[in-house]
Amino acid sequence: MNIISVLLVDDHLVVRSGLKALLGTQPGIEVVAEAASGEEALVLVERHGPAVVMMDLAMGAGMDGIEAIKALRRRNSRQAILVFTTYDSDADIVRAVDAGAMGYLFKDASPEEIFAAVRGAVQGKSVMSAPVASRLFQQLRNPDAILTPREAELLSLLTEGLSNRELGQRLFISEATVKTHLAHIYAKLGVETRSAAIATAIRREGMR
C-alpha cells in the first residue's frame, strides 16, 4: 500500500494534535511532520517531501498561509496543498485558490470530508467543502450579481486607496452614505475588513 505522507501547518498545537490523531486512524495516511509557521513549513517540505500539505491561513507573525502556498507553488508546481482553516469569507477562499491551493476545508469538516480531501489531492483533484464550492462557483460565475451598480463602483474605487471622504467626493455622496454602502458590501461579500474587500475587488478586475 502506498502511504500518503502529510505535513500539518498550523500555529495551534491542539489543532495539529487533533488532526494528526484523526488522520492516524486511516490506513495509508501518515503525518510525517508538523509546522507552526509558513517559514517552518517551507523547511519541512524540503526535508520530508510530503505528498500533501494541510495549511492554515493565519499563523501569527511572519509568513501567513497564502504567502506560504505561493512559495511552495514556486518551488514545486505539483505540490498538493489543502487549506484547513476557520476563515470562511469569499475573499479568503478566492485568495487561497488563486495562490494555488487544491482544496479548501473548514475546521468543522467531517472526518470523511477530510480523508477524501487528502486522498483526492494526491490524485490531483480539487476538493472543496460543499459550502465553499458553492460560494466559489457563484463568485466566479457571476461576480457582480450580488452588488448594486453603485456598490460595484465603490468596490472598484477602494483599490485606489481612497479614504471614505475621498470616496464620497468622487461619487458625490456624503461620507455617511459611503459608510452605509461599505457596510452592505462587506456583508454581501462575507468580509469584515477593508483589505479583504480590496482583495476581492482586485480579483474581480482580473476576471474582466
Side-chain angles (χ1 to χ4, degrees):
M1 176 187 296
N2 291 329
I3 301 297
I4 300 173
S5 55
V6 179
L7 167 65
L8 304 180
V9 188
D10 195 298
D11 62 339
H12 291 98
L13 176 59
V14 172
V15 173
R16 298 199 310 271
S17 298
L19 186 54
K20 181 178 181 179
L22 179 64
L23 293 174
T25 66
Q26 293 297 292
I29 299 178
E30 179 185 2
V31 174
V32 295
E34 302 175 37
S37 68
E39 291 86 352
E40 188 179 3
L42 299 184
V43 173
L44 293 178
V45 165
E46 290 294 326
R47 182 179 303 166
H48 296 279
V52 178
V53 177
M54 296 191 70
M55 179 88 65
D56 193 7
L57 293 185
M59 289 178 287
M63 180 182 291
D64 65 10
I66 296 296
E67 291 305 314
I69 292 171
K70 290 178 180 178
L72 289 173
R73 273 276 172 262
R74 286 193 294 268
R75 295 184 180 190
N76 179 5
S77 62
R78 301 178 65 182
Q79 176 68 61
I81 306 170
L82 296 175
V83 170
F84 188 66
T85 188
T86 57
Y87 287 80
D88 64 351
S89 76
D90 289 353
D92 287 317
I93 295 169
V94 170
R95 286 175 63 227
V97 173
D98 279 349
M102 296 177 62
Y104 199 107
L105 300 174
F106 296 140
K107 288 183 178 178
D108 61 358
S110 69
E112 290 73 23
E113 278 186 292
I114 296 172
F115 302 149
V118 170
R119 294 190 173 104
V122 172
Q123 299 170 10
K125 297 178 180 178
S126 294
V127 186
M128 306 280 175
S129 292
V132 174
S134 176
R135 289 162 57 186
L136 182 61
F137 177 77
Q138 203 54 36
Q139 176 81 359
L140 297 179
R141 185 182 181 196
N142 196 359
D144 290 320
I146 60 175
L147 298 182
T148 66
R150 176 46 62 92
E151 289 167 351
E153 183 179 14
L154 186 60
L155 178 60
S156 180
L157 288 175
L158 282 182
T159 62
E160 297 182 22
L162 302 180
S163 66
N164 287 352
R165 182 178 182 181
E166 290 169 332
L167 288 170
Q169 293 173 341
R170 182 75 67 88
L171 297 175
F172 302 102
I173 57 178
S174 70
E175 190 171 345
T177 301
V178 169
K179 292 179 180 178
T180 298
H181 282 314
L182 288 176
H184 291 163
I185 290 171
Y186 293 174
K188 289 181 178 181
L189 295 182
V191 302
E192 298 181 355
T193 65
R194 198 181 192 92
S195 60
I198 291 173
T200 300
I202 292 172
R203 168 65 180 174
R204 286 166 175 265
E205 290 300 319
M207 292 169 55
R208 296 183 189 281

